Amino acid sequence: MHRHLFLKINHPILILTDHQLIHGCIKNDQQCQQQLFERFAGKMLTVCLRYAIDRMEAEDILQDAFIKVYMNLSQFKFEGSFEGWIRRIVVNTALKYCQKKKMKYDEVQPEAANVGGIDPSAYTHLNEAELLKLIHRLPEGYKMVFNLHIIEGYSHEEIAVMLHIKDSTSRSQLVKARRYLQNEILKMQKSIAV
Amino acid sequence: MTDKLFDDFVKDKLGQHNSGAPMHVWERIREKEKDNKKGFFFFKRFWLTGIVLLTLSGMVYLSWDSVIKHSNQEKLLTTTTEQNNTNNSNQTSTIAQTENDQNKAGLSATNNNTVLEKQDNENTLLTQGPVQQTEAGKNEPVGINNTSHSDVAAPLKIKKQSNALIKENNAEINSQQKIQADKTGNLIHSPVQSSEQTAAKEFVLSFTNMAAYRNSLKDFRIGNVPQRTVGPSCPTVNGPRRNDLYIEVYGSPDYTMRSFSNSANLNNYIAQRRTSEDNRNGFSAGVRIAKNIGEKTLLKAGVNYSQINERLKIVNENEKQITQIITIRTVIRTPGDTLFIRDTTYFEQTGTRYRTTYNRYRFIDIPVIFSYEFGNPEILAFSVNAGPVFNVVSFYRGEVLDTTFNPVKISTAKGSGPNNWRSNIGISVFASFAVYKRVNERLQIFAEPYFRYNFKPVTQSTNFVNQRYTTTGMQLGIRYNLFNEKQRYR
């Protein structure tokens, strides 16, 4: 069985299932590890980019997160989505990075909170890169809550525990973040129109 | 509704977005893994070496110990055998000399001479009694007391006693022989086997058996029985007296309980303090000397360092920051005519401010503890300890909230603010229960759960809010006996 697996792994064209990849990685098979990285690193880099200040920091987070993934693969119980498991590790690593900065000064334009909901036609043309740029511009507290709630799908209670803040703080941060983003989208539209 | 649409749009766009796997990151991971593997290998090798060394040293120790025991046993047997022979000769010569001296001094009227004669069976025979001058000019015994000493394995003291008995018996026998000689005339060789002599011989043998038994006990104690199972030492007239001086080194993870009391009605303020500050626990470490003042009581004194850690977290959601931007432009109109235009603008920003401060409260104390020990010190001992702890100095680093909920630095200056703390918290009470496990002759390890109550708060007496700490912990340490004298007799 073991020999058979190795033969399979060493075949460059063969695409392994998550299950096979995990077992290969646990056995320290480098090709499996590389294939796992190639399969998930792209998506996870997007996650990191959403939390990090710049691409360099995002890559550092990604590196640390994947090392953790390789080290803790044996703890994966095949109970849920493997990608979800990796994503959780990446998010936790990103949060730790952000929490290392003891003092955070989150800035927001005073008018940001005054914008109401915008029409979907205003943002449907936006691509991923533009959206990422907009999220990058968010103040740190807003960015965290927005990412965790809207994209990762954590509840406010979970976010409160993760960020050591109150539920109400998480809710208010989310509202402000949303308004801020919508405001930025409107600004972008105006500049394009001009 | 529009918000929901917006959220869904963002999630759809970014939730599964792939930015492309950065392969240079993979290279970095590989390099780091290699380093880790090297490190792990080195670590593993280091531990393996340690384990091998420990095993080897253990084996050497055990084998050496058994060799020593064996050689001790052999030596003991050899010395016992040698002692038997040498003691016999020494004994006889001693007796001979003593009796010669006695003869010279004229103490003995009947025993004029003492002669040692070695027989063919290599047993030394003690011959006493009147001697006749033979034709060859040699002194020959008239009465012979055949006392075999070949199986004697008694220490010298016991042998001397037995010799004394032999002498006494011989004196009696000799007196009988003298009578016999008087009756029969020139009696040259007349062995006497009286019942008294046999009894004396048995008595001597019982002594020699006792000596052998004692030797075997000694052998048994050295070879087979662990030292710690040796029975309790015999008390003297004044009773046994310990003379132990220990040095104890310990460290302890601590858990501190904080309590507030206030003279003013500041419940909101205290509630805010409780929510913004959380206990990160602490630790203490110290060294102390323990001297026994009685058989089971000790007095301990030393130096103790303790630290309480706290974290202050402040989240200010509507923080405003004003940024001043000065722009200087240089306009060169003609050569030598330069104009500097300075524009100053102010930019106000509102945001959320997260601030975390790690507070450290440190105390150096001198504990003076009275201890009562019980249990078996050779195996597992216990002690109950209590006493005052005198604070030498207290110093702090960190911030606390003031009544306006703004962080202020802790200071030891006098004042009424919540940040004015004491530089000395005075006397505390310490109580503990310790368990000691013996490691070797001098070393013990101990675990000591303890409780410390501070009478005074850390804040100054003039403060409207009093903050007091009570500490519990588990001291884990080693105790080394500097004197290592189990008992001393007065």
Side-chain angles (χ1 to χ4, degrees), chain B residues 383-427:
Chain B
S383 74
V384 182
N385 316 288
V389 177
F390 302 95
N391 184 241
V392 178
V393 66
S394 305
F395 44 104
Y396 319 94
R397 195 193 73 192
E399 290 177 332
V400 288
L401 292 180
D402 65 6
T403 45
T404 57
F405 304 136
N406 285 317
V408 280
K409 281 199 172 179
I410 298 168
S411 121
T412 48
K414 289 204 170 179
S416 60
N419 60 327
N420 297 118
W421 289 23
R422 290 172 191 271
S423 58
N424 190 314
I425 58 163
I427 301 172

Side-chain angles (χ1 to χ4, degrees), chain A residues 9 16 21 24-25 28-41 66 70, chain B residues 21-24 26-27 29-30 33:
Chain A
I9 289 163
L16 301 171
L21 263 183
C25 290
N28 270 332
D29 187 285
Q30 219 169 70
Q31 285 194 16
C32 283
Q33 287 177 345
Q34 189 173 349
Q35 211 175 108
L36 188 133
F37 184 82
E38 283 167 2
R39 188 174 297 181
F40 296 106
F66 264 89
Y70 293 136
Chain B
M23 291 317 288
H24 62 277
W26 166 244
E27 291 303 320
I29 290 170
R30 268 188 65 184
E33 270 197 333

